Amino acid sequence: MVRRTARTTPASILDDRRWDALVEVSEQGEIFHTSSWLALLTEAFGLGVVRLGIEEDGILIAGLPILTRGLGPIRFAGSPLYNVATPQMGPLLTPGVTIGTVLAAFEDFQIQNGIALAEMIMGQPGDDQALARAGYSIEESRTFLLDLEGRSRDDLWAGFATRCRTAIRKAERTGVEVALVASDLFWPEFRSMVEQVFARQGRTPPIPERFHRALGDRYGPEQLWTVLATHRGQAVAAGLFLVHRGRLYYLDGASDPAQKHLCANNLVQWWAIKRALAQGIELYDLVGAGLPGVAQFKASFGGRLVIRPFARKTNSRLALAGLGLARAALPTLRWARFQFSLPNRKRIVKR
């Protein structure tokens, strides 16, 4: 039954306690919806955050976390915005409430705040028809989910691709060791590997170091796993994992490009899966499979492919033109930023 008397509340009404209670009762609620995560994004990226609530007779029945930023005269709003280390958000619903109710409230927000471009990536397969009716174009956002509930190590191992099992055995045979380490020991090694990976592409990392530091300050070791793989005392790979409501999320990872032959990344994943299994975690979200190489690696762990909607709506021609220009200029801007980040301002001639 569609609710007809729902009204949008001012965002200021939604304090942390009330907002997080909605996250807990909503089937869609994930760590990326929580007030703690939203505060992290404000701290690390300087984003505006609005917790849009929808009430019926004084009861909070739905919500939408909205991130905002500006680029000159253009204002963006997203749940989440692109490239802010947050793979998915989208509406929070309670039983009987449809996504159309939230989209209508989001439309009012866009009009009232002069939003030129709106984006949304849902954590679950969404109602594409409702999004299309509201004027959104839809692309695919892919990930792999590995079901852990009721499964054994042997069962999971048998589901891995042959190449994956071979890589794990190789890493173990060559003496790669994996352990959970304190964040103050983890971040320097992790950041060094991340910078090496992007340097090979002529880029600086898109996620700033302050995000990773703030992440470590905000979440303890039970919820944030900072996992390091070493070989003969040298860090060769690392993984960042988050735990929330019976789910494990693979937030980020990196490896030493010169040591890829050790296959340490595969062993890091197997270590995390075994730990999750031992803790009774029910589902592992490998978070994102947009690039072919990344998708192939994540698929090798036997998860099921899940396609979520990435919805975008442009409310002005200026926003559409700006989006096209930004996409065209992004490779050059990344190269320039990388050049100016080099020690002693040594330049590399791009050929």
Side-chain angles (χ1 to χ4, degrees):
M1 180 177 179
V2 177
R3 300 180 188 254
R4 300 184 182 277
T5 61
R7 60 181 178 83
T8 304
T9 69
S12 60
I13 290 177
L14 301 182
D15 58 21
D16 288 356
R17 179 193 58 78
R18 197 175 184 209
W19 178 260
D20 288 335
L22 176 63
V23 175
E24 281 297 311
V25 300
S26 173
E27 182 182 347
Q28 296 80 24
E30 298 189 75
I31 192 169
F32 309 113
H33 291 92
T34 63
S35 59
S36 180
W37 188 267
L38 297 175
L40 171 68
L41 297 181
T42 299
E43 178 182 350
F45 294 97
L47 301 171
V49 173
V50 174
R51 294 179 288 192
L52 188 66
I54 301 169
E55 286 186 332
E56 184 178 65
D57 299 327
I59 299 173
L60 192 60
I61 62 169
L64 181 71
I66 304 171
L67 310 177
T68 63
R69 66 163 35 138
L71 180 62
I74 304 176
R75 286 181 54 77
F76 301 90
S79 185
L81 287 169
Y82 175 72
N83 212 17
V84 293
T86 305
Q88 62 235 19
M89 279 184 175
L92 296 166
L93 306 175
T94 56
V97 182
T98 66
I99 186 177
T101 301
V102 176
L103 292 178
F106 191 26
E107 177 69 16
D108 290 343
F109 173 86
Q110 293 174 49
I111 294 170
Q112 293 165 11
N113 292 275
I115 301 299
L117 177 69
E119 298 176 331
M120 189 182 301
I121 306 176
M122 299 181 192
Q124 300 180 13
D127 188 338
D128 290 5
Q129 292 184 345
L131 289 164
R133 286 195 299 269
Y136 289 85
S137 61
I138 303 169
E139 301 174 14
E140 291 183 351
S141 175
R142 299 182 169 214
T143 192
F144 287 93
L145 299 181
L146 181 61
D147 296 300
L148 303 178
E149 187 176 17
R151 302 183 68 181
S152 67
R153 284 191 186 186
D154 291 343
D155 179 31
L156 289 165
W157 178 261
F160 292 179
T162 301
R163 66 181 183 279
C164 181
R165 294 194 298 267
T166 300
I168 292 170
R169 291 191 185 105
K170 179 179 180 180
E172 292 174 332
R173 187 174 63 251
T174 54
V176 175
E177 298 180 346
V178 179
L180 189 72
V181 299
S183 60
D184 59 336
L185 300 176
F186 175 84
W187 297 123
E189 301 284 7
F190 174 74
R191 193 67 190 181
S192 175
M193 285 186 278
V194 169
E195 289 174 352
Q196 289 180 60
V197 170
F198 281 94
R200 290 198 166 197
Q201 305 170 27
R203 299 166 51 192
T204 53
I207 306 303
E209 185 174 5
R210 63 180 177 272
F211 169 78
H212 291 128
R213 296 285 183 179
L215 189 68
D217 292 340
R218 187 169 291 274
Y219 297 103
E222 291 303 313
Q223 195 165 13
L224 176 67
W225 299 356
T226 46
V227 182
L228 195 65
T230 58
H231 182 253
R232 298 176 181 173
Q234 177 186 350
V236 293
L240 271 178
F241 302 86
L242 280 168
V243 178
H244 181 72
R245 285 180 66 176
R247 284 195 178 197
L248 179 68
Y249 298 89
Y250 178 42
L251 188 61
D252 205 353
S255 62
D256 182 346
Q259 305 296 331
K260 289 187 70 172
H261 64 281
L262 295 173
C263 303
N265 278 331
N266 293 77
L267 190 57
V268 166
Q269 291 294 325
W270 181 222
W271 184 96
I273 290 169
K274 289 188 292 184
R275 189 172 199 253
L277 201 62
Q279 293 190 6
I281 291 172
E282 299 172 356
L283 186 68
Y284 179 27
D285 186 343
L286 281 90
V287 180
L291 299 175
V294 172
Q296 185 180 42
F297 173 75
K298 293 183 177 181
S300 71
F301 292 93
R304 52 190 166 90
L305 177 65
V306 173
I307 299 175
R308 300 158 168 165
F310 175 18
R312 176 180 284 126
K313 181 180 182 181
T314 52
N315 297 318
S316 75
R317 293 182 179 179
L318 178 62
L320 188 60
L323 180 62
L325 288 172
R327 283 179 167 176
L330 191 57
T332 301
L333 291 173
R334 285 174 171 169
W335 176 263
R337 187 171 65 173
F338 170 70
Q339 292 284 27
F340 279 94
S341 71
L342 294 175
N344 302 319
R345 295 190 177 272
K346 293 181 180 179
R347 303 286 184 260
I348 300 173
V349 177
K350 188 175 182 181
R351 299 184 185 278

